[in-house]
């Protein structure tokens, strides 16, 4: 039997991190629909509670709250 940590798959050379929209950085990854997408760029939305992330091979996506992201190590 494998534990939950062993059974998770992340983008290479990243670690999972709980992050708010204001803490996001270019080159972080988000998981949407079971796939990982790299943040290429981002835009503020008039406050720190949300950001428009420009995701590689996906396009714009609005992050509105805390979520697990995958940060390069």
């Amino acid at each position: 039997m494998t534990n939950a940590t062993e059974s998770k798959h992340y983008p290479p050379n990243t670690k999972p991190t709980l992050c708010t929209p204001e803490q996001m950085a270019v080159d972080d990854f988000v998981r949407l629909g079971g796939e990982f997408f790299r943040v290429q760029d981002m835009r503020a939305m008039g406050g720190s509670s949300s950001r428009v992330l420009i995701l590689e091979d996906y396009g714009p996506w609005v992050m509105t709250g805390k979520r697990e992201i995958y940060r390069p190590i």
Side-chain angles (χ1 to χ4, degrees), residues 39-53:
V39 177
Q40 289 182 313
D41 200 0
M42 63 185 104
R43 304 284 185 267
M45 288 190 61
S48 62
S49 63
S50 60
R51 294 270 164 106
V52 177
L53 306 180

Side-chain angles (χ1 to χ4, degrees), residues 7-60:
S7 64
K8 288 185 179 180
H9 297 282
Y10 308 124
N13 301 312
T14 65
K15 65 176 181 174
T17 304
L18 190 59
C19 198
T20 65
E22 67 185 355
Q23 296 169 319
M24 289 300 293
V26 170
D27 292 330
D28 286 346
F29 288 82
V30 295
R31 186 175 182 184
L32 301 173
E35 294 185 55
F36 296 97
F37 297 95
R38 185 179 67 84
V39 177
Q40 289 182 313
D41 200 0
M42 63 185 104
R43 304 284 185 267
M45 288 190 61
S48 62
S49 63
S50 60
R51 294 270 164 106
V52 177
L53 306 180
I54 312 302
L55 305 176
E56 183 175 38
D57 298 325
Y58 189 88

